[in-house]
């Protein structure tokens, strides 16, 4: 038990809880709004988001599993999940661009928050899909990329806070989602980035080849 209670374990466990909370909230939205005539598109998107964040939570909460086959599956699931979340948010880009009015500060800040989130998501995807397999070849990138992603997520959270409290912009469909679930979204990804900054453990493959990273 003492071996598990480390800062790394605490960060990834809390990250899993944040992701699970975000998934659960999207399921709650579906159940609550079914009787209100929620469109099939909205139901589908909420269901996909709930599934994606359930997978992210599963990734975080299974960080201690050492089975190599499971590790490989877990890695592929995270890569696909990050990409799908990025693409889901990318569909909003035309609306975000149309929303920008350089005479209104809050529209510029909103766009900056969106771009920071998308850039951070893309950095995480590139890091986990390509860089993490060859950390010894990219020692600087293995530190700079997750740190940059964490700072971008944090920047987006700060901007959203300014938008809500400074400009009274309600960023989501309701107050709870804006004040509670939006920070949960960012904190989950910040936790994931911080987790990637911890030193990696290794294990030798069954074939006696080079050690595999246990993430």
């Amino acid at each position: 038990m003492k071996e598990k209670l480390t800062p790394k374990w605490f960060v990834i466990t809390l990250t899993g809880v944040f992701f699970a909370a975000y998934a659960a909230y999207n399921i709650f939205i579906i159940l609550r709004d079914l009787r209100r005539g929620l469109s099939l598109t909205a139901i589908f998107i909420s269901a996909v988001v709930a599934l994606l964040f359930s997978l992210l939570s599963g990734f975080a909460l299974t960080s201690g599993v050492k089975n190599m086959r499971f590790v490989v599956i877990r890695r592929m699931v995270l890569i696909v999940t990050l990409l799908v979340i990025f693409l889901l948010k990318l569909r909003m880009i035309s609306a975000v661009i149309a929303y920008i009015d350089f005479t209104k500060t809050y529209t510029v800040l909103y766009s900056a928050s969106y771009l920071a989130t998308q850039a951070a998501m893309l950095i995480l995807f590139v890091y986990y899909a390509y860089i993490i397999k060859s950390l010894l070849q990219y020692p600087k990138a293995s530190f700079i990329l997750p740190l940059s992603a964490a700072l971008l997520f944090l920047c987006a959270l700060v901007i959203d806070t300014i938008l809500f409290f400074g400009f009274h912009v309600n960023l989501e469909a309701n107050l709870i989602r804006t004040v509670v679930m939006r920070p949960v979204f960012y904190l989950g990804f910040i936790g994931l980035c911080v987790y990637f900054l911890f030193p990696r453990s290794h294990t030798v493959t069954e074939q006696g080849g080079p050690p595999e990273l246990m993430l």
Side-chain angles (χ1 to χ4, degrees):
M1 180 63 69
K2 291 182 179 179
E3 186 177 286
K4 288 186 176 181
L5 297 180
T6 62
K8 183 177 181 179
W9 176 88
F10 178 78
V11 167
I12 197 59
T13 301
L14 189 59
T15 297
V17 171
F18 283 137
F19 285 144
Y22 198 81
Y25 185 76
N26 277 276
I27 294 173
F28 168 75
I29 289 174
I30 296 172
L31 297 176
R32 183 198 63 184
D33 292 346
L34 275 176
R35 296 179 180 178
R36 302 181 184 181
L38 190 67
S39 69
L40 290 177
T41 301
I43 292 173
F44 176 75
I45 291 175
S46 293
V48 170
V49 171
L51 173 61
L52 293 171
F53 278 84
S54 295
L55 293 173
L56 286 174
S57 178
F59 173 88
L61 298 177
T62 57
S63 61
V65 177
K66 304 300 182 183
N67 181 277
M68 287 308 303
R69 291 182 181 178
F70 183 81
V71 169
V72 171
I73 294 172
R74 180 171 169 268
R75 178 177 178 275
M76 293 306 300
V77 167
L78 180 61
I79 290 172
V80 172
T81 300
L82 290 174
L83 180 60
V84 174
I85 292 174
F86 174 81
L87 293 176
L88 276 176
K89 291 183 70 65
L90 188 62
R91 82 189 197 283
M92 298 171 52
I93 191 166
S94 59
V96 172
I97 292 173
Y99 183 69
I100 299 176
D101 181 348
F102 289 102
T103 65
K104 298 177 181 178
T105 305
Y106 66 88
T107 67
V108 178
L109 288 175
Y110 180 87
S111 302
S113 172
Y114 171 82
L115 291 174
T117 302
Q118 283 297 82
M121 202 73 67
L122 186 58
I123 288 172
L124 263 186
F125 170 76
V126 171
Y127 169 77
Y128 202 75
Y130 301 103
I131 303 299
I132 209 166
K133 295 184 296 183
S134 308
L135 291 183
L136 296 179
Q137 296 178 32
Y138 306 102
K140 291 184 179 179
S142 66
F143 175 78
I144 293 174
L145 290 184
L147 178 62
S148 298
L151 292 175
L152 284 168
F153 282 123
L154 179 60
C155 180
L157 175 58
V158 170
I159 292 173
D160 284 3
T161 303
I162 293 172
L163 283 170
F164 182 75
F165 290 103
F167 292 90
H168 308 291
V169 176
N170 209 19
L171 299 164
E172 299 284 355
N174 58 64
L175 184 63
I176 293 178
R177 187 156 187 161
T178 298
V179 176
V180 179
M181 300 316 300
R182 204 167 177 99
V184 164
F185 170 90
Y186 290 123
L187 290 173
F189 280 107
I190 290 171
L192 188 63
C193 295
V194 171
Y195 168 67
F196 289 146
L197 290 172
F198 283 99
R200 309 295 173 222
S201 57
H202 301 77
T203 186
V204 177
T205 62
E206 294 178 2
Q207 292 78 17
E212 296 282 349
L213 289 168
M214 299 298 292
L215 299 168

